[in-house]
């Protein structure tokens, strides 16, 4: 798990991969333990870094 954001008791988990690895074991383990409101996978097998960086982060908590 690379980033964890918290707002009003809502948790958003963010996993970032800079290579073609699709290993999401850490993200799934975090989801099992903490049940985040939203989980985001950034990288070649998820949303692009450009899309993520240009997004409105407050919308992740809606």
């Amino acid at each position: 798990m690379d980033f964890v954001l918290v707002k009003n008791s809502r948790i958003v988990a963010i996993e970032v991969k800079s290579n073609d690895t699709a290993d999401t074991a850490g993200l799934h383990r975090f989801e099992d333990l903490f049940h985040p409101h939203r989980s985001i996978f950034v990288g070649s097998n998820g949303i692009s870094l450009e899309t993520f960086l240009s997004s409105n982060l407050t919308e992740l908590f809606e």
Side-chain angles (χ1 to χ4, degrees):
M1 186 55 43
D2 293 305
F3 300 98
V4 176
L5 307 176
V6 179
K7 179 181 177 185
N8 299 330
S9 73
R10 286 192 171 179
I11 299 170
V12 174
I14 303 170
E15 179 78 16
V16 180
K17 294 293 184 190
S18 60
N19 54 28
D20 289 338
T21 303
D23 180 16
T24 59
L27 180 61
H28 292 301
R29 180 73 175 138
F30 186 89
E31 290 172 333
D32 291 341
L33 291 172
F34 298 102
H35 309 287
H37 173 69
R38 182 166 290 160
S39 297
I40 309 265
F41 187 82
V42 180
S44 61
N45 293 316
I47 67 169
S48 71
L49 180 60
E50 294 80 10
T51 299
F52 175 72
L53 292 176
S54 65
S55 66
N56 180 348
L57 295 181
T58 59
E59 291 177 357
L60 297 176
F61 296 95
E62 297 175 353

